[in-house]
Amino acid sequence: MFKSTGLLLAAIFLVSHSGVGVAQTATIKPGLWQFSVTNQAVGKDAKRKMESQICYSAADVESSARSMPPQHEFGMKCSVKDYKLTGNTANWHVSCTGKTQAYSGLTTVTFKPDSYEGQATLVSQSSGKGVKINQTIEAKRISGC
């Protein structure tokens, strides 16, 4: 149940910027970006850290739908609501469902031109059991593409 939530981050980002609040785009610079997501189930000591990289072109950073990692857990369908960008901080609620699991929760991300960081508080549902997961999100621009 907990092990697959690391892949949820990109789904959260992807849907959070794909049609909801499209006119509201946080400013980030084009280039090679490194992402780090750390998941920890509430009440557990174990943490799971996932890292990935993606290269954003100038067109990518101008389009909110293309400005986040295009990865997501296979078979998950996600939707976002209540997306709001105030200054350089975005907040939204995400809901994702798959064959055996469902996730939902709140995400907050603060953007800077060369980095961003955020937190998500998610509840994972699997086999009728709910597990609260705290997620720490960090990204930084590491070079040009």
Side-chain angles (χ1 to χ4, degrees):
M1 173 168 29
F2 176 60
K3 66 180 181 176
S4 62
T5 59
L7 299 177
L8 179 62
L9 166 71
I12 291 171
F13 279 148
L14 182 63
V15 298
S16 71
H17 290 76
S18 61
V20 178
V22 171
Q24 302 174 330
T25 304
T27 304
I28 62 172
K29 290 182 181 176
L32 182 62
W33 283 72
Q34 181 170 327
F35 300 90
S36 173
V37 180
T38 304
N39 293 308
Q40 184 173 18
V42 173
K44 304 287 183 184
D45 290 333
K47 292 181 182 180
R48 182 163 191 231
K49 186 174 184 176
M50 309 240 350
E51 294 186 345
S52 62
Q53 292 182 347
I54 191 167
C55 186
Y56 291 128
S57 69
D60 291 334
V61 300
E62 289 176 11
S63 167
S64 59
R66 296 181 355 186
S67 64
M68 295 297 157
Q71 306 164 326
H72 58 85
E73 186 174 341
F74 183 76
M76 294 295 272
K77 295 187 186 225
C78 299
S79 64
V80 81
K81 62 182 178 178
D82 302 329
Y83 177 84
K84 184 177 181 182
L85 180 65
T86 304
N88 63 342
T89 300
N91 298 285
W92 63 88
H93 183 272
V94 65
S95 295
C96 297
T97 57
K99 289 181 182 181
T100 61
Q101 297 179 348
Y103 306 93
S104 64
L106 299 174
T107 302
T108 300
V109 175
T110 300
F111 297 93
K112 296 178 184 174
D114 289 312
S115 66
Y116 59 84
E117 57 186 33
Q119 302 81 34
T121 303
L122 307 170
V123 176
S124 168
Q125 294 289 332
S126 179
S127 303
K129 296 180 181 178
V131 175
K132 186 174 178 184
I133 298 167
N134 290 326
Q135 196 173 68
T136 302
I137 305 154
E138 296 176 322
K140 64 181 176 179
R141 184 180 181 277
I142 55 176
S143 69
C145 296

